[in-house]
Amino acid sequence: MLQRSSSVPTTHEVRRAEGSAGTLEQPQRTTPAEPLGRGAGTLEQTKGSAVTERRKVAANTTLRDVAERVGVSVSAVSMALQDHPRIGDDTKRRIREAADELGYVTNSAARALRASKADAIALIVPNTSQHVFGHAYFMHVLTGVTAVANRNDAQVVISTSPDESHGKVAYDRVLRSGSVDGAIVTSAAVTDDGIQRLVADGLPVVLLGRFPYLPDAVSVGIDDVRASELATEHLIQAHGRRALVHLTGPLDHQSAIDRRDGFLAAAARHGVGTYIVEGDFSEESGAAAGPQIEALGDVDGLVAANDEMAFGAMRHLLGRGRRVPEDLAVIGFDDFGLSRVTTPSISTMHVPAERMATQATDRLFDLIGGARVAADEAHTVQPVELIARQSCGCEPMGRAQGGDKQ
Amino acid sequence: MLQRSSSVPTTHEVRRAEGSAGTLEQPQRTTPAEPLGRGAGTLEQTKGSAVTERRKVAANTTLRDVAERVGVSVSAVSMALQDHPRIGDDTKRRIREAADELGYVTNSAARALRASKADAIALIVPNTSQHVFGHAYFMHVLTGVTAVANRNDAQVVISTSPDESHGKVAYDRVLRSGSVDGAIVTSAAVTDDGIQRLVADGLPVVLLGRFPYLPDAVSVGIDDVRASELATEHLIQAHGRRALVHLTGPLDHQSAIDRRDGFLAAAARHGVGTYIVEGDFSEESGAAAGPQIEALGDVDGLVAANDEMAFGAMRHLLGRGRRVPEDLAVIGFDDFGLSRVTTPSISTMHVPAERMATQATDRLFDLIGGARVAADEAHTVQPVELIARQSCGCEPMGRAQGGDKQ
DNA sequence: CTGAAAGCGCTTACAG
DNA sequence: CTGAAAGCGCTTACAG
């Protein structure tokens, strides 16, 4: 345990270290333990740079300041900066130069107030942040959302509810305060009526996932039922498994419901035995299911509703001497990162979270732009892909690399 | 590959599946493959709920609307809603009721313009989002930042630069537009002068990491040099390794510089041989370093500047028949998730990213509140912890669980 | 104790 | 072609 300390090591100390590393030969492309680069020592040289000069540019240069400098009206400046055709080229140039010199930046609150648009979208996460950010899913979503927002010169506001019971408040505040022009909503429970209010309010909103309760809402998802059927059939058809257990997600989430239903449908179609163990998408719930799965002596395949639970269960069972995939073939769901790095690597249904987010955000900007969506185009479905790795038996153990994705 | 389709499975199909799962016995706590819960079938019942009634509450109810309803002035409403003491209790109550009825929500742009505060902070990520969100680090940071922001009733705006060259623009826009009251800056390269401008501009900013170039900037970090020394000494002292290779991060990042310097310092102090291989924090760069490390016949220990590179290198070497930890003891850095789930699990220096973010955000709100920071308190250091797992040899292989953290 | 007025910085329809 | 004026919705200092 390293104690709190602010001692900064001197470059000197390090150079000594360097010296004694001398005698070993250097293999190709291996840099010698040499140039220490910018250490604390170079600090003084850089201190008095351009930075210090432009200190405290008065927190707010306004259009008025620029107008006075150039000797034109405030309106002229406003228009010039928007490249309005009615301002002459020469005037525009002078105005822009002055704006640059003065370090003018549009006050976003004033613009938002006047133009009633915020140039920002919200990413709403109805659960507590602790709970949700724990999932790599969110990272992929955020990547997709910010990429598209950037393209549209919009900011992204992250909105998590402080606690479960105040979910509605979060929705309302953010969206109706005018601080964002629309929202992407993710990870909402089926029972969450905040979403319904949002959609009913007529604000531009795109949902991530499938929401059968809100058939008119614009949403982007995958076909979880079909995907789960494919996963299940893979264990049955490619690996001849005959008694399957399904580890569910929290059943107040549509994806968990759909994945369970797909599992049951496929199992029934092929006449294999089924067990259901309820989990909550966490690795812990997967581990907790381990003993229950052990007790199910005849089970030879596990379909988990996500990779984290698959991992939790698998780790428990491996620790108890069960072999994966020989004794128990395992397939997960998501492919958000974990499944690729475990041993055995976990076969899974790849959910294109980033692409879903990208499409959802594109659609959101369409809505903000005034686009209307036909009823039969409200929900978009992204394709899912089976990634066969070691845990189902497709890929031999020992080989290090899995079928990489994402 | 599942094709795009919006077919919704009928509950009927699923119920059939259910039937055929009957005969197996149910172990304890294992739910029978029974109640299907809310499927697509229940959709119609819920459709005509309260939701449909409260449609399109005119996008903007203003103070004026509330004032007219109650028969008081706009100012009275504004003050009542702020619980200003000069408004009588009875009037306050009537105003609040009317505001609720009308669904009044403060227009944040107007408030921001008037009060010149946005009740929002920015989390600035100077790199492209693709690059950065790939790291679990960011997830932990975001968790910490949003938690504290929530406590302060502030929004979090994520700001990533669209591309490397426009980094400065992103800084300026966000911060000087008045849309946020301050910023947390993370992952900045040493050479990034956007930070310097930010700090020089006098805006409330807290940096995540150590910035020797900006000694006066408020920042929260760890002592990377010391932490890396501890990691290195662990391989030397606890495991008797005598020839170590260090896999560096990108050397334009201070943490990479510090970790390398700590490695060299510790190695020198104990008189063990050293090699340096330059990486970039990516798993790929770790894998690419694999062959170089193989070429270093006598090396018996690897200190990687992060876990991803440790994993990349380890996986390559294991694939080539080298044993970890027997032939090569490995220790990584970060403990953001990966190191715990691999086989062997990776011993590492735990970086408390979430706690760093929490503290940084607390300090940011202090600054926004007008707090002044003494020069010797500008930089805060969080403790780091060595997590000993399998890859160094501390924990036997076979046992499933690693020393969990975070 | 309460109302009317000024003004935050911007944009845009209206005059000249 | 350009300037002055109105007004977005709010807060707060100023009158009554």
Side-chain angles (χ1 to χ4, degrees), chain B residues 289-313:
Chain B
Q292 301 176 50
I293 295 172
E294 274 187 272
L296 268 40
D298 62 335
V299 162
D300 58 7
L302 166 64
V303 177
N306 77 352
D307 295 331
E308 288 179 68
M309 293 191 297
F311 177 62

Side-chain angles (χ1 to χ4, degrees), chain A residues 59-378:
Chain A
N60 27 356
T61 306
T62 73
L63 284 184
R64 196 151 169 272
D65 298 323
V66 180
E68 278 171 5
R69 169 80 149 242
V70 181
V72 294
S73 72
V74 169
S75 355
V77 177
S78 171
M79 290 171 147
L81 261 23
Q82 291 171 79
D83 206 20
H84 192 104
R86 96 172 211 189
I87 306 291
D89 282 347
D90 186 58
T91 317
K92 265 183 198 163
R93 196 181 38 69
R94 281 166 47 224
I95 289 174
R96 290 207 185 108
E97 278 173 14
D100 277 355
E101 274 174 47
L102 296 172
Y104 172 78
V105 175
T106 303
N107 178 307
S108 57
R111 170 175 287 169
L113 178 57
R114 186 57 235 239
S116 30
K117 68 190 285 284
D119 286 322
I121 60 172
L123 175 54
I124 295 189
V125 185
N127 319 66
T128 62
S129 53
Q130 281 293 350
H131 176 63
V132 172
F133 292 137
H135 299 297
Y137 167 66
F138 187 76
M139 222 166 66
H140 290 111
V141 169
L142 191 53
T143 304
V145 170
T146 53
V148 176
N150 272 339
R151 279 209 292 279
N152 288 272
D153 284 316
Q155 310 254 42
V156 176
V157 174
I158 302 289
S159 175
T160 49
S161 320
D163 64 78
E164 306 264 338
S165 61
H166 293 95
K168 308 175 186 184
V169 178
Y171 288 129
D172 267 36
R173 280 275 178 68
V174 173
L175 278 138
R176 310 195 41 224
S177 71
S179 58
V180 296
D181 302 322
I184 303 286
V185 180
T186 179
S187 293
V190 169
T191 53
D192 192 327
D193 64 335
I195 290 191
Q196 305 184 328
R197 297 170 63 194
L198 225 58
V199 172
D201 264 14
L203 294 158
V205 172
V206 178
L207 311 178
L208 235 32
R210 193 171 80 84
F211 294 80
Y213 279 61
L214 300 167
D216 300 333
V218 179
S219 56
V220 174
I222 59 166
D223 186 341
D224 282 296
V225 177
R226 184 81 195 102
S228 189
E229 285 179 15
L230 288 176
T232 307
E233 285 180 340
H234 182 72
L235 294 191
I236 299 169
Q237 297 184 307
H239 301 289
R241 304 299 160 137
R242 303 300 303 163
L244 303 179
V245 58
H246 178 57
L247 194 41
T248 77
L251 291 173
D252 58 347
H253 279 250
Q254 191 64 42
S255 63
I257 295 169
D258 288 350
R259 289 172 192 185
R260 180 203 53 193
D261 291 354
F263 166 79
L264 290 173
R269 192 176 309 131
H270 295 277
V272 307
T274 60
Y275 293 93
I276 298 280
V277 179
E278 199 171 321
D280 63 6
F281 279 153
S282 72
E283 181 185 326
E284 291 70 34
S285 74
Q292 300 176 52
I293 295 172
E294 273 186 273
L296 267 40
D298 61 335
V299 161
D300 57 9
L302 165 64
V303 178
N306 77 351
D307 295 329
E308 287 179 69
M309 293 191 298
F311 177 63
M314 197 172 77
R315 190 173 245 196
H316 171 89
L317 294 167
L318 289 171
R320 306 277 304 201
R322 292 278 281 262
R323 292 169 308 160
V324 175
E326 295 84 348
D327 301 335
L328 188 78
V330 173
I331 189 161
F333 225 110
D334 286 350
D335 197 31
F336 295 153
L338 175 68
S339 50
R340 189 180 61 81
V341 303
T342 59
T343 305
S345 55
I346 301 171
S347 301
T348 191
M349 299 303 301
H350 175 80
V351 175
E354 186 175 333
R355 214 179 323 140
M356 285 163 60
T358 302
Q359 190 186 28
T361 311
D362 276 331
R363 297 194 75 182
L364 179 60
F365 279 106
D366 287 347
L367 289 178
I368 290 171
R372 305 220 61 354
V373 175
D376 62 336
E377 290 176 344

Side-chain angles (χ1 to χ4, degrees), chain B residues 53 71 132 160 182 189 208 248 273 275-276 288 322 325 358 383 403:
Chain B
E53 285 145 40
V132 172
T160 49
L208 235 31
T248 76
Y275 292 93
I276 298 281
R322 292 279 280 262
T358 301

Side-chain angles (χ1 to χ4, degrees), chain B residues 379-397:
Chain B
H379 186 59
T380 311
V381 177
Q382 288 278 347
V384 169
E385 192 178 351
L386 174 68
I387 308 289
R389 296 201 177 100
Q390 296 171 333
S391 69
C392 68
C394 272
E395 193 177 296
M397 296 295 295

